[in-house]
Amino acid sequence: MLSGTRANIAVKIFGPDLDTLFRLGNEVKEAVAGVPGLVDVNVDQQIEVPQVQIRANRNLLAAHGISVERFGEFVDVAFGGEKLSDIYEGQMRFDLVLRLSGEYTETIEGIRSALIDTDDGRTVPLEQVAEVASAAGPGSIARENTQRKIVVAANVAGRDLGGVVRDIRQRVRDRVSLPGGYRIEYGGQFESQERASRILLLVSILAVAVIFMLLFIEFADFKLSAVILLNLPLALIGGVFSLTVTSGTLSIPAIIGFITLFGIATRNGILLVSSFTQNACAGFGPDDTIVRGARERLTPILMTALTSALALIPLAVQGGLSGNEIQSPMAKVILGGLLTSTLLNLYFIPVVYRMAFAKSRPAMREK
């Protein structure tokens, strides 16, 4: 609604002439009509209504000493009216409006015969300084940032907004030729989604950086921190797979699910690697360190993953219910990531740890 349309996608065409805008709007509609996933394509309707147009003749105005500003004020007050005061009658209030009488405002001939004051104190009929004509004009003119516009609106079904917008831009670029002074902007709900996606991408990068920094502060070892962070791509595998086989759309809730998944995967890595480190500090060999640590942490990791999964399953399977549109994609991503992160964590992390610390025994920092 902030973008000026309720539709998912709004192709906004800006330019000075309304007829040209309407023609370009229909050309854009025809160009994008066949885009997969695009539905409800429509162009803002320009409904003409009867109008009385008063067009000032600047040369005649100057000849009678009437400025354009004073002419505009006269037309505004004489035919539109101007509120001067309020009249109270008991508990009722009425506006006191100044305008010409009906004989000068209800017919074309009356408007033409309306008298306007000249600079030298005389009065002349309005038709001597302006053209008064009956015509048809648009019932409304849409503007944005003081520029005239027309909107081609459409919704999306069964496909992601970003992909549809890319196809629309390509088709409009190839099939619609814009005259000089005309331009196209793309708006609608996808604007908010793109903005939120950029913010969440930055948040994701920042989250990974902060996680690594905290791990480095905790373990005081670059290798250990890097080993724990290997859980993130392991979790992404399941999240991406779950997203692909369900909706296939990378939405804002799905991105939030990935960020949540980072924290869960990191926690599992910390549990496993901290156990390895403690065993190494206790004097066990590399193989015993890994085997004992994996056995000790197997139950806690599986229990936390299982409890999280059981809580998320109802949200994932009931995505069609009202109110679950946001929760369901997020739950599906977390479930898929939990599955791969938990299983692969118990296989890959011990192997990588063994390779990284085969000849050394990192000491865990004393607290």
Side-chain angles (χ1 to χ4, degrees):
M1 294 176 67
L2 291 175
S3 66
T5 177
R6 296 176 182 267
N8 297 142
I9 301 173
V11 183
K12 296 181 284 189
I13 309 170
F14 295 88
D17 183 67
L18 293 177
D19 293 335
T20 304
L21 286 176
F22 188 67
R23 176 180 59 80
L24 291 174
N26 283 285
E27 289 183 9
V28 170
K29 178 182 177 181
E30 294 177 1
V32 305
V35 172
L38 199 65
V39 296
D40 306 328
V41 184
N42 64 84
V43 183
D44 283 350
Q45 296 301 312
Q46 294 289 344
I47 302 175
E48 292 191 342
V49 295
Q51 298 177 346
V52 175
Q53 297 182 358
I54 303 175
R55 309 184 188 96
N57 188 315
R58 292 177 179 268
N59 294 329
L60 294 177
L61 286 175
H64 289 85
I66 304 173
S67 66
V68 175
E69 180 182 5
R70 189 148 63 88
F71 174 81
E73 291 178 353
F74 169 79
V75 172
D76 184 37
V77 174
F79 304 107
E82 180 177 348
K83 178 181 175 181
L84 300 180
S85 182
D86 295 314
I87 297 177
Y88 292 89
E89 186 175 313
Q91 299 296 321
M92 303 178 66
R93 186 183 69 178
F94 303 93
D95 294 336
L96 177 61
V97 179
L98 173 66
R99 67 164 61 94
L100 291 178
S101 61
E103 62 180 302
Y104 294 106
T105 61
E106 295 176 354
T107 63
I108 294 290
E109 292 73 16
I111 295 174
R112 290 171 178 166
S113 62
L115 301 177
I116 182 173
D117 295 329
T118 63
D119 191 45
D120 56 5
R122 297 180 298 107
T123 58
V124 295
L126 191 62
E127 62 182 349
Q128 292 188 14
V129 294
E131 179 186 356
V132 181
S134 176
S140 62
I141 300 176
R143 294 179 182 270
E144 185 174 320
N145 296 327
T146 71
Q147 293 181 302
R148 290 181 175 182
K149 72 171 184 178
I150 192 169
V151 177
V152 182
N155 293 314
V156 176
R159 195 179 170 198
D160 65 295
L161 274 174
V164 173
V165 172
R166 284 193 297 271
D167 289 349
I168 289 176
R169 283 175 169 162
Q170 184 63 43
R171 290 203 177 195
V172 170
R173 193 181 303 115
D174 295 341
R175 304 183 185 184
V176 179
S177 178
L178 296 177
Y182 294 81
R183 61 186 177 87
I184 289 179
E185 290 184 3
Y186 297 87
Q189 294 180 17
F190 89 97
E191 279 183 300
S192 299
Q193 177 172 327
E194 284 190 337
R195 184 164 53 251
S197 298
R198 289 193 296 267
I199 294 173
L200 287 175
L201 177 61
L202 295 176
V203 170
S204 302
I205 297 173
L206 180 62
V208 174
V210 171
I211 288 173
F212 182 81
M213 181 185 67
L214 294 176
L215 291 174
F216 186 78
I217 293 173
E218 175 66 21
F219 294 100
D221 190 290
F222 181 85
K223 285 185 180 180
L224 279 176
S225 303
V227 170
I228 295 173
L229 280 185
L230 281 177
N231 275 285
L232 300 189
L234 299 180
L236 286 175
I237 293 173
V240 172
F241 178 77
S242 174
L243 197 64
T244 303
V245 299
T246 54
S247 64
T249 301
L250 182 62
S251 59
I252 300 301
I255 297 176
I256 296 173
F258 279 114
I259 297 176
T260 307
L261 199 54
F262 290 166
I264 299 174
T266 304
R267 178 203 60 194
N268 291 342
I270 291 174
L271 287 174
L272 200 57
V273 171
S274 63
S275 179
F276 294 161
T277 306
Q278 290 173 358
N279 291 333
C281 294
F284 293 99
D287 294 336
D288 290 337
T289 294
I290 293 173
V291 172
R292 288 174 61 90
R295 287 177 178 174
E296 291 172 357
R297 297 305 184 187
L298 176 61
T299 301
I301 290 175
L302 291 179
M303 286 182 61
T304 53
L306 183 61
T307 53
S308 300
L310 290 176
L312 291 170
I313 286 175
L315 299 178
V317 300
Q318 296 180 352
L321 297 180
S322 178
N324 283 353
E325 298 87 351
I326 294 178
Q327 299 171 350
S328 181
M330 182 173 60
K332 292 173 183 177
V333 167
I334 298 176
L335 275 175
L338 273 177
L339 179 63
T340 57
S341 174
T342 303
L343 296 178
L344 298 178
N345 175 65
L346 297 173
Y347 288 95
F348 280 87
I349 298 303
V351 173
V352 175
Y353 182 89
R354 180 69 173 79
M355 294 171 61
F357 300 102
K359 298 181 180 180
S360 62
R361 293 184 179 182
M364 190 173 183
R365 191 184 68 176
E366 297 292 337
K367 293 205 242 178

